[in-house]
C-alpha cells in the first residue's frame, strides 16, 4: 500500500485542477465579452472574432498544458493500482438486496454530499434525481421493487426536501471551521448553551468540554499589550471565567473543576506541574470538534459518520472474503443458503460494531428479530426457537442448570 499512498500524495501535490479551471474561465470570459460586443455592434463582428482567435487559442492551449500533469499522474496511479490489485471478477449481483430500492441509494448519496458540505453538488443531484426517478430492477431473493413501501417513500422524500437540512449542516460546518481553523469557541459554546437541557438529558459532556477548553485558552493566553484595564489577564481572566461559567458544572464535574482550580497555584510553571496534560494537550481542539460533530448529528437523528462512507468501507473490507467464498463455492458446487446473514465472518474494526450479536448456545445460530434471545428465570439465555423446541409448551429443564421453568416465564432480551 506504500506505493499507492506515494502516488496519491504525488498526485495531490503536483496535479491541481484549479489552474485549468481558471484558464477555462478566462476562455469563457473572452467569449462572453465578444458576444456582448457583437450584440452591441453587429457590424464589428468580423473584427471582434478576428481579435478573439489568438487569445482564445492561447487560453485553451494553456489549459491543456495544465492538464498534462494530471493525466500523467492518473496514468501512473492506475498502473500502480492494477499492479497491486490483480484483476479479479466481482461477486455476481444475484443477491443484490438494494437493487429494488434505488431511492434509498439516492438518499444515501444525497445525505453524504450534505454531510460533507457539498451543498451545491447535493442540490444538483437531488434535482436530477427528482427529474429522472430511478427504475428499480428486481433480482433474485429481493423484494418486489414495484411495491412502494410508505416508509421508504417518506425516508427518501425526507432527504430530497433537504433545504432545512442543508441550512443545519451549513451551521455545523461554520462552527467546525471556527473550532478547527480559527480556534474560536464562542459559536460552539453558544450552540451548546441553547441546547443545554437536551444535551444534559442525553448525558453529553460537550458543553463542559467546550467551557473547559475556553478556560485553558484564557489561562495560557499572552496579552501583546501591557495596558491595564478592567479585564483580568491570563490566570485571573480564567479564574473570573470559571466563577461565571464553570460553577454550574461543579455538581456533575466536581473533580474536573477542582483540577482546573488547583492549577491556579502553578500558574508560573504550569509546564512542570501535575496539570500539564490539561493545558498542553495537542489533540484537545480536534477532540472537542469531533464531540461537537457527533452531538450535532445525534440531535438530527443521524450518526456522526456518513452511512455511505461506512457502508463503502465495510464493503471494501468484506470484498476479499466474499471473493474467496465465491471461489470455494464454485469449486465445491455449493450454494449460499442463508439470506439474512453472511456465510463467513467479516473482521470489521470495533467502531463498525453497531449492535451486539447473540448466538444461541443450543442451536449455534445467530438470533434475529423473528428469533430473538429469551432469558429464562434462572438467568440463562437461548433463542426463541430453541425455547419452543425444548419446552413443547410445557415446563422444561434448563439445558445449563437444574432449574425448571415454563416458556411463558421467559423474557425477551434486548441487546
Amino acid at each position: 500500500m506504500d506505493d499507492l499512498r506515494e502516488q496519491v500524495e504525488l498526485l495531490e501535490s503536483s496535479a491541481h485542477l484549479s489552474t485549468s479551471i481558471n484558464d477555462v474561465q478566462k476562455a469563457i470570459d473572452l467569449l462572453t465579452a465578444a458576444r456582448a460586443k457583437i450584440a452591441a455592434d453587429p457590424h464589428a463582428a468580423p473584427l471582434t472574432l478576428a481579435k478573439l482567435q489568438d487569445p482564445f487559442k492561447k487560453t485553451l492551449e494553456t489549459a491543456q498544458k495544465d492538464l498534462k500533469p494530471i493525466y500523467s499522474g492518473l496514468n501512473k496511479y492506475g498502473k500502480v493500482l492494477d499492479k497491486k490489485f490483480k484483476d479479479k471478477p466481482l461477486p455476481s449481483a444475484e443477491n443484490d438486496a438494494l437493487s429494488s430500492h434505488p431511492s434509498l441509494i439516492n438518499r444515501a448519496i444525497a445525505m453524504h454530499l450534505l454531510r460533507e458540505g457539498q451543498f451545491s453538488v447535493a442540490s444538483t443531484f437531488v434535482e436530477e434525481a427528482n427529474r429522472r426517478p430511478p427504475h428499480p430492477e428486481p433480482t433474485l431473493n429481493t423484494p418486489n421493487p414495484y411495491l412502494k413501501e410508505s416508509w421508504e417513500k417518506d425516508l427518501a422524500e425526507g432527504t430530497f426536501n433537504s433545504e432545512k437540512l442543508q441550512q443545519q449542516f451549513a451551521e455545523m460546518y461554520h462552527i467546525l471551521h471556527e473550532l478547527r481553523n480559527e480556534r474560536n469557541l464562542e459559536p460552539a459554546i453558544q450552540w451548546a448553551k441553547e441546547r443545554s437541557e437536551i444535551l444534559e438529558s442525553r448525558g453529553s459532556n460537550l458543553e463542559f468540554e467546550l467551557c473547559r477548553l475556553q478556560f485553558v485558552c484564557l489561562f495560557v493566553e499572552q496579552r501583546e499589550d501591557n495596558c491595564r484595564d478592567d479585564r483580568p489577564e491570563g490566570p485571573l481572566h480564567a479564574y473570573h471565567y470559571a466563577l461565571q461559567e464553570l460553577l454550574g458544572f461543579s455538581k456533575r464535574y466536581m473533580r474536573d473543576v477542582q483540577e482546573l482550580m488547583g492549577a491556579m497555584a502553578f500558574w508560573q510553571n504550569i509546564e512542570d506541574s501535575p496539570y500539564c496534560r490539561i493545558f498542553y494537550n495537542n489533540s484537545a481542539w480536534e477532540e472537542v470538534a469531533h464531540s461537537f460533530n457527533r452531538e450535532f448529528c445525534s440531535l438530527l437523528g443521524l450518526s456522526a459518520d456518513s452511512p455511505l462512507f461506512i457502508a463503502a468501507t465495510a464493503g471494501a473490507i468484506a470484498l476479499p472474503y466474499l471473493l474467496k467464498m465465491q471461489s470455494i463455492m464454485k469449486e465445491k458446487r455449493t450454494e449460499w443458503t442463508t439470506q439474512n446473514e453472511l456465510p463467513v465472518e467479516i473482521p470489521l474494526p470495533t467502531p463498525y460494531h453497531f449492535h451486539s450479536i447473540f448466538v444461541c448456545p443450543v442451536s449455534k445460530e445467530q438470533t434475529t428479530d423473528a428469533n430473538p434471545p429469551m432469558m429464562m428465570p434462572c438467568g440463562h439465555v437461548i433463542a426463541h426457537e430453541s425455547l419452543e423446541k425444548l419446552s413443547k409448551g410445557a415446563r422444561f429443564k434448563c439445558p445449563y442448570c437444574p432449574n425448571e421453568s415454563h416458556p411463558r416465564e421467559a423474557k425477551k432480551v434486548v441487546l
Side-chain angles (χ1 to χ4, degrees):
M1 297 300 289
D2 292 337
D3 296 338
L4 283 175
R5 190 179 295 110
E6 181 181 350
Q7 290 298 328
V8 170
E9 292 174 354
L10 184 63
L11 190 61
E12 290 177 346
S13 61
S14 62
H16 299 285
L17 285 173
S18 56
T19 53
S20 301
I21 292 174
N22 292 334
D23 294 331
V24 173
Q25 185 61 47
K26 289 179 183 178
I28 294 174
D29 294 338
L30 288 173
L31 293 173
T32 304
R35 183 177 63 180
K37 285 184 179 180
I38 293 174
D41 186 8
H43 299 288
L47 180 61
T48 303
L49 292 175
K51 291 182 178 180
L52 175 65
Q53 186 174 359
D54 287 341
F56 183 73
K57 184 179 179 181
K58 289 180 180 179
T59 304
L60 291 183
E61 289 176 352
T62 306
Q64 292 176 354
K65 183 179 179 181
D66 293 334
L67 286 173
K68 284 184 179 179
I70 299 177
Y71 291 141
S72 176
L74 289 174
N75 188 30
K76 291 179 180 178
Y77 178 75
K79 290 180 179 178
V80 175
L81 195 65
D82 293 337
K83 184 178 179 181
K84 181 67 179 178
F85 300 101
K86 303 299 181 182
D87 186 18
K88 292 183 179 179
L90 294 176
S92 62
E94 294 178 357
N95 294 288
D96 186 1
L98 288 177
S99 62
S100 57
H101 300 284
S103 59
L104 296 185
I105 298 176
N106 285 347
R107 176 184 184 272
I109 296 173
M111 286 294 296
H112 180 78
L113 293 172
L114 287 174
R115 296 170 70 101
E116 293 296 314
Q118 303 291 336
F119 302 127
S120 60
V121 181
S123 299
T124 303
F125 177 81
V126 170
E127 180 183 349
E128 292 183 358
N130 286 331
R131 191 187 311 141
R132 293 188 293 272
H135 299 287
E137 298 179 0
T139 58
L140 185 65
N141 297 327
T142 59
N144 186 346
Y146 302 103
L147 293 177
K148 292 295 183 180
E149 301 278 355
S150 59
W151 64 270
E152 180 177 340
K153 182 179 179 182
D154 295 340
L155 200 60
E157 291 182 351
T159 301
F160 289 165
N161 297 328
S162 58
E163 184 176 349
K164 182 179 179 181
L165 194 61
Q166 180 173 325
Q167 294 174 354
Q168 292 170 325
F169 276 114
E171 180 186 11
M172 184 188 78
Y173 275 96
H174 168 70
I175 296 176
L176 286 175
H177 173 78
E178 292 294 317
L179 284 174
R180 288 172 170 152
N181 301 100
E182 305 297 332
R183 292 293 194 260
N184 179 17
L185 287 159
E186 290 299 332
I189 292 175
Q190 183 62 31
W191 182 90
K193 284 183 179 296
E194 293 173 357
R195 298 158 180 81
S196 179
E197 293 183 2
I198 302 176
L199 293 173
E200 186 175 357
S201 65
R202 290 169 43 83
S204 171
N205 302 324
L206 176 62
E207 188 177 0
F208 176 73
E209 290 177 7
L210 292 167
C211 292
R212 178 173 58 186
L213 186 56
Q214 183 75 305
F215 176 91
V216 170
C217 293
L218 296 173
F219 191 97
V220 300
E221 75 176 358
Q222 296 293 332
R223 296 289 300 278
E224 295 180 357
D225 55 342
N226 295 321
C227 63
R228 298 179 60 85
D229 53 24
D230 295 334
R231 180 185 177 190
E233 295 179 314
L236 286 179
H237 192 182
Y239 175 73
H240 280 261
Y241 178 80
L243 293 179
Q244 295 175 2
E245 303 293 340
L246 293 182
L247 286 181
F249 298 102
S250 58
K251 185 176 180 180
R252 184 178 175 188
Y253 304 96
M254 176 61 72
R255 182 176 179 82
D256 298 278
V257 174
Q258 287 175 344
E259 284 186 339
L260 296 176
M261 292 296 97
M264 300 292 296
F266 297 86
W267 69 274
Q268 290 180 316
N269 61 337
I270 194 68
E271 296 92 341
D272 301 323
S273 72
Y275 307 100
C276 177
R277 59 179 175 81
I278 300 176
F279 292 86
Y280 293 94
N281 182 5
N282 295 329
S283 61
W285 286 94
E286 187 57 35
E287 289 173 359
V288 80
H290 181 72
S291 297
F292 169 78
N293 185 24
R294 183 180 64 250
E295 295 298 336
F296 191 100
C297 292
S298 296
L299 294 186
L300 295 178
L302 303 171
S303 61
D305 296 319
S306 166
L308 184 62
F309 173 80
I310 293 173
T313 305
I317 296 173
L319 187 58
Y321 296 89
L322 297 178
L323 288 173
K324 186 176 181 180
M325 181 204 69
Q326 188 180 47
S327 63
I328 294 174
M329 288 170 51
K330 186 176 181 180
E331 291 177 2
K332 296 187 177 181
R333 297 182 180 180
T334 58
E335 295 292 337
W336 182 356
T337 58
T338 55
Q339 183 177 352
N340 296 324
E341 63 183 52
L342 291 173
V344 292
E345 184 177 356
I346 307 297
L348 294 177
T350 303
Y352 284 20
H353 295 171
F354 298 104
H355 57 83
S356 301
I357 297 174
F358 178 77
V359 177
C360 176
V362 176
S363 64
K364 310 301 181 185
E365 293 181 355
Q366 182 177 320
T367 55
T368 62
D369 293 338
N371 182 29
M374 305 293 293
M375 184 175 68
M376 297 170 286
C378 59
H380 290 106
V381 181
I382 60 177
H384 184 264
E385 291 180 358
S386 300
L387 177 69
E388 292 183 339
K389 290 179 181 178
L390 289 173
S391 65
K392 297 181 181 178
R395 293 186 66 84
F396 70 103
K397 177 181 171 297
C398 173
Y400 293 97
C401 70
N403 292 339
E404 293 186 357
S405 61
H406 196 278
R408 65 170 173 266
E409 297 174 343
K411 295 182 179 180
K412 181 180 178 180
V413 177
V414 179
L415 299 174

